[in-house]
Every structure is written in C-alpha cells, then in structure tokens.
Amino acid sequence: MPLPEVFARWFAARGWSPRAHQLALLDKARQGRSALLIAPTGAGKTLAGFLPTLVELSESSAPARAATVSTGRAVRRSGGLHTLYISPLKALAVDIARNLEAPIAEMALPIKVETRTGDTPVSRRQRQRRYPPDILLTTPEQLALLLASDDAPFLFSSLKRIVLDELHALVTSKRGDLLSLGLARLWRIAPQIRAIGLSATVAEPESLARFLVPQLSPPPAGEARGGEGERRADIVVAGGAAAPIVEMLDTSERLPWAGHSARHAMAEIYDLIKRNKTTLVFVNTRSQAEMLFQDLWRMNDDGLAIALHHGSLDVAQRRKVEDAMAAGKLRGVVCTSSLDLGVDWGDVDLVINVGAPKGASRLMQRIGRANHRIDEASRAVLVPANRFEVLECRVAIDAVAENAQDTPPLRTGALDVLAQHVLGCACGAPFLSDELYAEVLTSAPYAGLSRSDFDDVVEFVATGGYALKSYERFARIKQDAQGRWRVTNPRVRQSYRLNVGTIVEESMLKVKLVRSRRGGSGSTGAIARGGRMLGQIEEYFIEGLVIGDTFVFGGEIVRYEALVEDEVYVSRANDADAKVPSYMGGKFPLSTYLAERVRLLLADQRAWRGLPDQVREWLSLQAHLSSVPGAREMVVETFPRADKHYLVCYPFEGRLAHQTLGMLLTRRLERARARPLGFVANEYALAVWGLGDMSAMIRQRRLNLDALFDPDMLGDDLEAWLAESALMKRTFRTCAIISGLIARRFTGEEKSRRQVLFSTDLVYDVLRKHQPDHVLLRAARADAATGLLDIRRLSDMLARISGRITHKELERISPLAVPVMLEIGREAVYGEASDELLAEAAEELVKEATGSS
Amino acid sequence: MENGTTVHAATVAGVTLVADLSGAFFWEGERLLVVSDLHLEKGSSFAMRGVLLPPYDTAATLSRLGAVIARYDPRHVIALGDSFHDREAHGRLDAADRTTLASLQRGRDWIWIVGNHDPDLPRDLGGAVADEVAIGPLAFRHEPTGAAGEIAGHLHPKARVSRRGRSVERRCFASDGERAVMPSFGAYTGGLSIRDLAFAAIFKSLAFTAHVLGDNRMHAIAAARCS
C-alpha cells in the first residue's frame, strides 16, 4: 500500500525512502492488526512505530476532528487522545517528543504532541486531563496513575493506538507486570486500540508478541491455555542489518587471574579511544566505571574529552554528558547499563565492553549502541578483566556471530504488583471481582493467574488478607450492596498516588570528602562539616564498615570518617589497597546460555586453539594437575592450604546461585562435622573452607559428595535458611512496599531515616511463623526463585550434575581454583552466622580486659 | 561474665541480675522477672491508620513471654512500661490474648509500670499499676534518668557490630554496672543505636557494655566497639 502523498513527498525531500518494515507496520495498522517490530537500533524504529499514527491523524478530515465528543461532562474537546507512547525512561519520552516535532512541522500536520512524566508541572497535567493532546508520551508509572483517576474513561475512550518502546527491556521486570495490567485496563476502556511494540532482538519473539494483545479468557472450549489458544500480535522483523564486527582485545600484557578492573589493558583501551572518533566504554558496575574513568584520565596526555555516565551521578550531570555526546563533543564515555537504553546518538563508531559480557543479547544490545546506521557494521572490542572472562568473551563473540539470543522468558506476573494494581483500580472506580479477574487474565503475564490467587490479593488489599480476621473495621476497600469494591476513605487514594510504581530503591547516603582528623597537624578535633560532595553510596554498604576502614569511591581510595544524619564523611587515604571491597558484583548474573557455552568450550580441547596462549596454558595445566570439567559434569576439588581445608567446585551458574549454594553447603558441612568457616563465590566457582579435613572425610566415606550436592538441599535446608536469610528479608521488604503493605512515602514527606517506625524484618519473622502461606510471603518466594537467591537456577544445576560429580583430591590449590581463591579477602565473605561476628567482637573485649592481645 | 551462653550475669548497683537471651532480666533472690516495652497491639495500632501489619504481634510477644515465665517461674513480674502501643490498645486485645495474659498472671504478683505510650492503664488488666517500683538498691521505671541503681526501658537499645564489610545489628541490654537500660521485648519493636546521644546522656561515657541478644547466645561487647 502506498504512502499518502504528503508523506511520500516528505521522505523524498529528505532523500530517504521508507524502509520495508516501516511500510509493513503501516500495512498492519490498516488491517487493524497489532504488531511487534523486532529491529536493531538505528533501524528507524521510532518513526516506524509512529507512522501509522501520523498517517491516521493526517487523514482524518479536519471537521470530524473538531467535533465535540460527548463526554458527559460538558467539556468541549478535540478528537481526544489518539496515541499513547510508553517508554521505560522519561528522558527517552522527552527525546522522542523532540524527534516527532520535525516531521510534524515539516509536513504541517495538525498534530499535538505532549509528554507527561514525574517532572511535568501540575498545571500542565491538569490541562492534559481536560484537553488531551493527540499523542501523549509517558512512562508505565504515569499510565498507572492516570488509570487510577476517575478521568480514565474520559481520557482513554478515544484511544486508537499504543506504542511500547524498548519492550524487551520493560517486560523483564515488575514494571512490565504493571504495564501489562495497565494494558488490560485500556483494552476494556477502549477495545478498539491496537498496539505496536518496539523491541531489540529477543530469544522468543512469539511469547513477547502475546504481551501486545488481550489473551483469551477463559480460553474457548477445546483450546488449551498456553498452546494454540494464545493470541499474539503479528511480528515484523527489520532486515538488512549489517553483522557487527566483534573482537577480543589481544592484550600484550599479562592476563590477571582474578579481579574486575582490567587495569592491565588501560593503555590499550586509551589507544582505542584515541584511534576512533567516539567510543562508548561499557562496564558492569558503578565502581568499575569510576575506577576506569580515573585511570584513563591519569594517562590522558592528549586531553581527550572523556566523560563518565552512571546511575548514581546527579541527573543534571548525566544530562550534561548526554547533551555533549549528542553534540559530538566527546571522544569517549565510560558508562554502566545506565546507557544500555535510551537516546540515539548517530556518531558512536566503537563500543568497548570491559569485563564479562554476562549475556549474548545484552552484549548485542550494547554493541548496537555503536553506529546507529543500520546498513553499516557496528564495531566492538571486548576486554576481559581476568582469565575466566576470556572464556566468557570467546563464547559471547561466537554467540553474536550466530545471532543467538538469551533474553529471559516472559515473566509470570507478580502478586505484589497485582495488589498495587487492584488498589489503583478501586481508586479509579468501584469494581466487581468477577469483572476485574476476567480483565486481569487478558494480560499475558497474568493469563495463568488462578482465581484463588486473585481473591487472596483482593483480600490482602482490603484487610491485609490475614487468617485472623481482625481488621475488617480498618478495611481500605469494602464491598457495597452490589458487591462492588470501593475505597473506604480519601486517604487511601492519596497513599496509592504517593506509592505507585515497582522500583524500590536502595536507601542511599551522600558521600562528602573532608580532611582526615588524623592529618599531619595532629589535630584531633571534630570533622569539619561541609566538604565536597562525591556522590551517593548504598546505606547497607556503609553499615558494614567501621570508622577507619578504607574503600574505593569516586575513583580513589578513601577512609570512612563519620556518619552524620544522611551524610558519610570520608577523607583521602594514602593506602595502596582498599581494606573493604566495594565491587558489589554486577546486577546481572552470567546467563545460563553463555554458562552452557563456556562449559562446552572447556570440555572441547580442540576449541582451546581459539584462546590466547596464556589461557590455553592455564587450562592445559589444569588438565594435567587436576581435571577440566566436562560439559555436564561438575568437578569438586579438595585440598589443604595453610591451616585450613578447602572445597572448590565449578557450577558456572552465576554468583547469586553460587551464594545460595554456599549457604546451603555450609549448613550441610556443619552437620557432617567438617566445621566450615566461610565461603566465597564468583560467577564460575564456589570455594568453601573449614577446619575439618574434607579430603580425608571423603576418602573415608564420612562425607559423600553425591549426598552433599543432592537436590534435597532445596527442601528443609532451604526452608531453615530462608527463615533467617537477610537476602530473603530484603526480598520481602520490596514486596511489602510494592504491594502497598507499607508506604515508601508517608503523605507529603519522605520517611526520615531516624524515624523508622518498624522493621519489615520483624514483620517477616512474625508473618512467617503465624501465616506461612500468606500472599506476600508467596510473592517473596516467587521473587527469590529468580532474584537475589536464584533458587530456580540452582535447582536446575543440581539436577544437571546429579550422578556426575568428579572429585579430585589435591595436595595443593589447582590452577582453575586460583581466581576464586583470590576473591577471599577481596569479596565480602558471605555467611550469615551472626553469632560468629558478635562473638568476635566480644572476644576483643575479653582480650582487652585480660591484657592479652 | 561468660560468653557463649544464653544468659549473662549483669551486676547493677551490687545486685546480680540474669540477662536472658529473650530480653528479660531475672533477679534470682527476689524471683523477679522484668520485661520492658512489650508494645502489645502495635500491629492493630498501625492498622487503624491504614497500614495493615500482620495482627499476630500480640500473640507472638505473649508466647515468648510465656516461654520465659515458664523457664524461671517468677514470683513477681514487672512490665517496665509501654506494655501497650497506644492508650486504647488494651481495648483491642482479642479474647484469646486476654486469656493468655490472665494465665501468665495467675499465681504471681504482676506490676504494670506506666510508660509514655500507655500512661493510664485500666484496672481490669489484672495486676497493679505503678509509676515506678523500688526494691532494695534498684529502682524500676520506664524512662531512664541516669540515676544509680536504675533499671529502665524506653530507648529500645540496639547494638551494631561491623567486621570486614559485614554488619550485624541486634537488641541488647546496656549497662555500666550502676544502671541498665533493657531491650524492647515486643515483636514489632525496632531499636535505637547505643551510640545515639540519648545513651551518652545516661551513661556519661562510652564505658558501658552491651549484652547483645545474638541468634543463639548472648555476647558482651564494649559500647565503644559498636558502630
């Protein structure tokens, strides 16, 4: 189907021709179909998404659009909202608005575009509700707020289209759950709407396409839920992208055994930046970004414009970097996943990824940030920071060449998010349970939701959902005579509005640089207030420090001096090494897919030829002295070192799953009287140490490895550990906040640090004891399966290695064990034996008292 | 003072008290058990304001109290104030919790010391109500004044110990041998760090000890070692 005349002329005037996928989307729109566009960055995705909207709005005759739509409110309005655009980033919404202005102005289309984000002034928000623009660009949270207002039917009944940007990123989190529930609401208010999803390449596009259309509920007779009965949007794939050119840095330096800094490669990274026009340098954590940035500037004799971008920097600072980048003023930007998504910059000609790629799809999306012109190949260089990362980079490059994707499967909707949504629905208008349940089932993540789970969530919203029915008189929502649930008082609405959203941020403290009180002057006076602001740091990190501890922040080693209110005072330390590690791991564990490929690479000695000499030698030595793990087996090594005994195993399942494994193994080793003392985990391996001679125990059959790694550890041992696990309590707290059990903000003000009225840890303890099947505990458990505890992955691993454990009793540490052993002392030792830590502090008192030290 | 056990001996003004892992003091010679800051019905107190905390805190607190009473079989029990989270909280006790409370009181002297959360307790709760009680060299009152021989509550002392990037925070008794502040006993009660200025006002220096309630045992830790 041809483009309308005015559009054809516009494309021609710019010397462009519409791309096939842009026309395909227009075609789908004309057929009344929803569509998922899979396209790499630079494919003109945004224009493709909005083309149907622009064409439709330009075609609708002027008089018809000017007519008053009856709203029952005697408010005159234009044709009403036509298209809603949702993006994960408000910066992106603002940027898209700017990008739409050009074609609209150049074609003189009568179209009004506005954004609505947390920053939009109240006056404009009110105006938008009465006189909506044709196109509104916003975020999932703002959509939820609009839907929870009684204006929702007025505002959305005219809606024709919805465009969901960066859908692959949105659907992997609870924000995606919230958005899917919002969509279900919109489908009911405006059944005519059609959706367009814009996504990077994903592993399962068919399942992502379900997100865009209402699922059948209940499935018609003869159709099973899950199979053929699923409904999905049409899929359009943008072709013609040039394959990226990805290399691993062939360093001439010695490859480190462990660590994540890639300091050895700094000169080579600097050289790459110098030889290219604009380079994005991606790292996995904020502290890596800080360190790399400092190191690059230390050698920046050419005065190259190199900037830093990460999530803890001030927003204004980040915006400045983005603007300078857009203006082509920067030669390099060191960044974290804060730049994985977002605004398009045309001129990036090289992406450097420092450290582990973690996942094939993640890497491809980062590489796609280079060169946003689809027909030119993106160029990327991977810089492994240690030997294991060399293996990971090698298999990631192969995966990119095969275009193999490893994005996670579509989520099952979380119950805490559903609770927030149910309260939001009641804030908008009274609802009937039957109707709302049917509506929720149309959203893909909740298509399998059972009625009893739904009813439990409604009960939770109403009175807390407690078996002890004592809160009826304090209900937040109540059923009226017709059975419709209504909000009981205006305070409930206000509290909902203040707490909407699924992002629960760590509580952060400001870090300020002051002069040390141990300074040369010998002054012992109080620390001077004020000082230069360095940035922000997680409160839980500071809680683990004692005054005088040193750590890396702002690219330098600092000493912790004092904590005053919400400010941490630090001074410059002259130490060469920080005492407390602040590499807090990456947020994302190594993907199952890449882990599998790493194991296959290890198992295939012929494939080692593709590895750097240093790494090949390392592996050959391992094969000679111990054993290199086969594809499905797990190697367990035991050996003595100094006065302790070590057990090292190589599951390759990511540090989160390894941490959980470490917790459970130490419990079991304790019972087996191996007297374990601690453990440390990295992405590839786990090392446990103790006083008992585990080699001898295995030899004498006092310790059976098959039994030690039996999947039954996920039964009672897991239960017992979850009861006291700090990670589980943190997971519960997040659910409690999202579900609305406790407020992240009390009316009008942020809860101050000093006025914590109760601790969710205590609530967790009491609830777990008295109502272990409470809906919030179920929500927390579901999160623990994939989140901080990664239990599902651990359980898959235990099943995989069952009966395939190879034990090597060694006299000393093996080559493969060196990296994880080097983490001891660098990484915080995870163990949750609180009594041990307290006993240690008590011991110091005794020593002091008895004068022995 | 022995570490690694579930009880510590703490001497206050010459009287040896047993600091129990549950958070209670026991005075052997008098067969007196003291608990502080039960904050019963804190859950329902929040529920009235729309925060629907699980309504099991009263049952949880009374059950722990029952366990420690069963272990020591005291002749006297002092609840050292803030036994109820708000002025009306006692009226919200459900029948089962009332029965439990009555059974705990049976056969013993029970004294409710008033606190800032529960300044006027009714007479029908069983036991006597008092502003403070003096026994021998010790004075039992809710809010600490710093006087010698004082056993108080109110502040909910809590100690944090940090080592190697990890930290553990637990409730504790705070004592310098002349006076003591007891930990809160209630299931939902948070705490105040013993390094807060409020404790400096009572102990005048950092020369006091935190008897910390660990997961399985007591630990005596110098206040100066806590963060």
Side-chain angles (χ1 to χ4, degrees), chain B residues 17-18 24-35 72-79 109 111 133 135 138 140 151:
Chain B
L17 299 170
V18 174
F25 258 146
F26 184 62
W27 183 352
E28 188 92 58
E30 297 286 328
R31 282 184 64 203
L32 166 69
L33 187 82
V34 192
V35 290
Y72 289 101
D73 189 23
R75 194 184 307 137
H76 316 275
V77 174
I78 293 179
D109 293 335
I111 302 169
V133 172
I135 305 174
L138 300 184
F140 298 86
I151 307 288

Side-chain angles (χ1 to χ4, degrees), chain A residues 601-612:
Chain A
L601 171 63
L602 281 177
D604 179 8
Q605 294 218 8
R606 281 167 310 173
W608 296 0
R609 276 182 302 214
L611 297 170

Side-chain angles (χ1 to χ4, degrees), chain A residues 769, chain B residues 22-23 59-69 171 184-187:
Chain A
K769 206 173 228 164
Chain B
S22 65
T61 303
L62 290 179
S63 134
R64 284 173 42 240
L65 182 55
V68 68
I69 285 178
R171 299 179 205 197
S184 60
F185 196 88

Side-chain angles (χ1 to χ4, degrees), chain A residues 241-275:
Chain A
I245 301 165
V246 191
E247 302 163 313
M248 180 159 28
L249 181 72
D250 187 12
T251 185
S252 51
E253 306 291 326
R254 205 179 129 71
L255 268 168
W257 289 91
H260 307 275
S261 70
R263 276 223 161 95
H264 69 284
M266 214 51 67
E268 290 159 318
I269 293 171
Y270 180 74
D271 193 49
L272 282 168
I273 295 174
K274 203 166 141 186
R275 286 193 282 123

Side-chain angles (χ1 to χ4, degrees), chain A residues 286-301:
Chain A
R286 185 194 63 214
S287 65
Q288 274 177 300
E290 293 268 11
M291 218 164 345
L292 192 75
F293 176 70
Q294 294 294 332
D295 285 350
L296 285 174
W297 269 97
R298 232 166 264 151
M299 59 177 66
N300 193 355
D301 297 333

Side-chain angles (χ1 to χ4, degrees), chain B:
Chain B
M1 195 158 32
E2 29 173 352
N3 267 307
T5 59
T6 60
V7 292
H8 269 182
T11 303
V12 180
V15 177
T16 300
L17 299 170
V18 174
D20 188 271
L21 184 62
S22 65
F25 258 146
F26 184 62
W27 183 352
E28 188 92 58
E30 297 286 328
R31 282 184 64 203
L32 166 69
L33 187 82
V34 192
V35 290
S36 189
D37 296 270
L38 302 178
H39 285 263
L40 299 174
E41 292 300 312
K42 181 165 176 173
S44 63
S45 188
F46 274 84
M48 289 195 303
R49 287 178 278 151
V51 180
L52 303 174
L53 298 185
Y56 306 117
D57 56 317
T58 299
T61 303
L62 290 179
S63 134
R64 284 173 42 240
L65 182 55
V68 68
I69 285 178
R71 256 188 298 128
Y72 289 101
D73 189 23
R75 194 184 307 137
H76 316 275
V77 174
I78 293 179
L80 206 52
D82 286 0
S83 304
F84 293 88
H85 188 68
D86 59 66
R87 282 163 192 261
E88 279 78 43
H90 55 82
R92 297 194 305 272
L93 280 179
D94 73 19
D97 294 335
R98 252 172 220 286
T99 310
T100 307
L101 185 56
S103 74
L104 294 181
Q105 292 175 328
R106 200 161 304 131
R108 333 180 192 278
D109 293 335
W110 190 284
I111 302 169
W112 301 102
I113 302 280
V114 296
N116 51 313
H117 278 254
D118 52 0
D120 25 47
L121 285 163
R123 305 284 143 180
D124 67 350
L125 282 170
V129 176
D131 286 339
E132 52 179 89
V133 172
I135 305 174
L138 300 184
F140 298 86
R141 64 173 70 92
H142 180 62
E143 293 191 34
T145 62
E150 178 179 82
I151 307 288
H154 183 59
L155 294 175
H156 303 198
K158 191 172 74 168
R160 168 179 292 141
V161 165
S162 305
R163 288 290 179 284
R164 298 182 302 276
R166 275 193 64 211
S167 79
V168 174
E169 191 177 56
R170 292 291 184 272
R171 299 179 205 197
C172 66
F173 296 84
S175 173
D176 63 358
E178 284 304 315
R179 50 193 74 72
V181 182
M182 295 184 66
S184 60
F185 196 88
Y188 285 168
T189 48
L192 181 68
S193 164
I194 53 168
R195 299 300 297 268
D196 192 276
L197 288 175
F199 289 94
I202 295 155
F203 294 108
K204 307 301 178 210
S205 77
L206 267 179
F208 64 95
T209 302
H211 297 271
V212 183
L213 316 184
D215 293 341
N216 298 299
R217 16 184 187 140
M218 298 290 292
H219 305 272
I221 300 172
R225 298 265 169 193
C226 301
S227 51

